[in-house]
Amino acid sequence: MSFVEYKDLIKDGDTAIVFLGHGSMFPVRVQAGGQTQTKYGVIRHSADLIGKRFGAKVTCSKGGWVYILHPTPELWTMNLPHRTQILYSTDISLITMMLELKPGSVVCESGTGSGSLSHALLRTIAPTGHLYTVEFHQQRAEKAMEEFRAHKVDHLVTVRNQDVCKNGFGVTHAADAVFLDIPSPWEAVGHANAALRVEGGRLCSFSPCIEQVQRTCRALEEHGFTEVHTLEILLQAYNVRTVNLPLPDLGKGATADAADAPSDVAADSGPPPPGMAQFKSGVPLKEMVGHTGYLTFATKSLF
Amino acid sequence: MAGPGQRPPPPRIRDGDFVVLKREDVFKAVQVQRRKKVIFEKQWFYLDNVIGQNYGTTFEVSSGGSLQPKKKVEETSTETKEAGTDNRNIIDDGKSQKLTQDDIKALKDKGIKGEEIVQQLIENSTTFRDKTEFAQDKYIKKKKKKYEAIITIVKPSTRILSVMYYAREPGKINHLRYDTLAQMLTLGNIRAGNKMIVVETCAGLVLGAVMERMGGFGSIIQMYPGGGPVRAATACFGFPESFFNSLYEFPLSKVDSLLAGTFSLETLPSEPKDIVLVEESNGALDEKQTSLQEAEEESIAEVVLDSNHAEDQETMEVGTEDPEYKDSKDKTQEKQRKQEEQRKRQIEASTLLNEKNADGLIVASRFHPTPLLLSLLEFVAPSRPFVVYCQYKEPLLECYTKLREKGGVINLKLSETWLRNYQVLPDRSHPKLIMSGGGGYLLSGITVVTDNLKADAGTLDSQKTEEPSSKKRRVQETQC
């Protein structure tokens, strides 16, 4: 397994995702002789995981079972140990596309944080690109590097433990894109400009507050960036439900029969209970994420 | 500092390149050709002068349709600004502009630069000085937009082309908004080295997006309806030839026979005539969609894109031939050669599919998604993501239910994204416009090893996937 390449079989040392069902899952480091407890009982790595296929159903000691999944940046984002607030896949998707990332891209990122975005960036720029990520918190920087090694992507990434606002990214005129997720991105815009190629490139800054966005936009214009756009993306998820609504009794009594009822019944969900009309609906979740942050994009151009 | 900074500089604009013209937020994809007239935003010009320039260069349209490179201009308004505080004394009498329509036309005909016309308009506006600073700003911006024809030539990318298509020709891409496309690429874990199956009727935009993210590494099998895949938008990306070496195509109409094991070469269309006919019907369909939108769009844009389409079909060797030349011997031989090539590629595609180990499935079409998913997921390996786009939510509800019944998938998610644009200016920051509903819906999930024991029904999996009946009842009650 690697975060940048699919493998069929689970091996010792792999990171795998244990899927318990209903969106509930957790990551596991596969180790010969290792054991993992789940609510369905214990998983013995040597017997139950190693040599099995990713996507296989694994029966636990109490008879229940789980699925073992190949790691992807998206699954990792949902399961990683948080050391900071992280970026989720909805924002990451837009960042990746609007920064025009692809295999071979050279990207600068700060801060590294918990590495949620980093893994997605590495996935996209592999096998020929490179990520320069800057994290001023020493422990977080070390932890990130450890994870990159465990996930076999360390050859694609350089982690620097320094303050991006003071010391920049440690590269000049090398990057196709720069991403900033720091409290005062406007202080790093000059460094971002220096890190981007002479011919130009793209920049994105993520900030939760509009005041941060305003200062960043002003700094971007002062440094000659163009195409400054601020976006916000929200994810609306739906539960798929079969809903039965009771039909009102309008006093038709015996003359009314089933033919009068709306008959738009999904054949697969069985007949509706008597006096009920049935339909499928995509019901919005009770609560949804209303705001993560504003994404400000800009272009550095040649002139 | 060491690093990959030694990469050669990006190539300059060449004759024949696929580029994108940009004016403000409006894009248009064209192919650079000498002495070819291009119409963009009600202006015509030639692209001869852009050849040899860097991507990202800004040009000004001058008389005779030539483009002149324009350097960044310093802000001209250095003079002390005079502005009002509010509009209590500004009356709309229609006489604030002292220049008449004819005067303005005369200025234009004289070939006076756009910025000078704007300056004249400001000087001849009696109310300009009374406007607030913000209103003055807005006035200048509006006039600049109209009179200063500044065009930037940019390199095509998924970002630019998907924004362009959504704005110009949403009907051709089934109203797939660019943020939705971005979600698809991420949810599908599209990356170098994958073996992807793609079904799309989005003019080849989704295919292009997948190709960009794979960077020529791995393989893509495009399943197409009708006589051949449509790749008009794919052509706009200007991918190197090498990206097409590992791009295969396979007709959707042969999927059933492939799954049943009865697929053979003989069932492939053998008469060149067939291909031409279907191609024509494809074209007709395109035209129908075009006419639907023509009211709101420049018809010229369609012509350009359509001509791209035609060229594309040739470069892709999917067998569009002009029927008029059918008699020509050379053409017939050429056709046979192409057909032989096409058959060879289809055998290769069928072999790749038969391995049933694809790394993902991407569907974004005008067809009902359920039958596509139920069949095509057979070709996908376990523990791989799949993403289906649909302009409407209801077919995805059905697809969700059917996939649950069939099994072999987990983590099914039905979702939609909303995108909001902001204006950020000092003291004038606010959301610009809400886009919602119109960007389509996604159903995504992950494949798993199929359970062969049907007796297992009612165990963990169904417990997990189905709402407990007590919960179900509660839902009903809340709906009452």
Side-chain angles (χ1 to χ4, degrees), chain B residues 139-150:
Chain B
Y139 181 87
I140 295 172
K141 263 192 191 153
K142 225 165 127 185
K143 297 299 171 196
K144 271 191 173 172
K145 195 177 173 186
K146 192 164 175 192
Y147 295 102
E148 286 188 19
I150 292 168

Side-chain angles (χ1 to χ4, degrees), chain A residues 19 21-23 239-241 268 280, chain B residues 370 374 377 386 396-414 443-445 454 461-467:
Chain A
F19 186 88
H22 226 68
N239 280 326
V240 180
R241 292 250 171 87
D268 43 78
K280 283 244 178 281
Chain B
T370 306
L374 291 179
L377 277 177
F386 61 90
L396 292 179
L397 294 174
E398 193 206 301
C399 194
Y400 181 103
T401 312
K402 296 274 192 220
L403 286 177
R404 273 279 157 86
E405 274 170 27
K406 183 170 176 271
V409 294
I410 55 166
N411 214 30
L412 286 182
K413 275 186 184 148
L414 178 60
L443 177 64
S444 64
K454 277 287 165 199
D461 197 32
S462 58
Q463 279 167 26
K464 278 190 257 175
T465 55
E466 281 299 317
E467 297 279 347

Side-chain angles (χ1 to χ4, degrees), chain B residues 220-262:
Chain B
I220 304 170
I221 305 140
Q222 183 182 15
M223 317 287 274
Y224 62 87
V230 177
R231 291 175 184 165
T234 320
C236 297
F237 284 81
F239 290 127
E241 197 73 22
S242 61
F243 278 34
F244 294 94
N245 294 341
S246 53
L247 171 61
Y248 299 86
E249 49 274 328
F250 191 81
L252 271 173
S253 58
K254 300 295 167 200
V255 166
D256 267 355
S257 64
L258 190 62
L259 282 171
T262 57

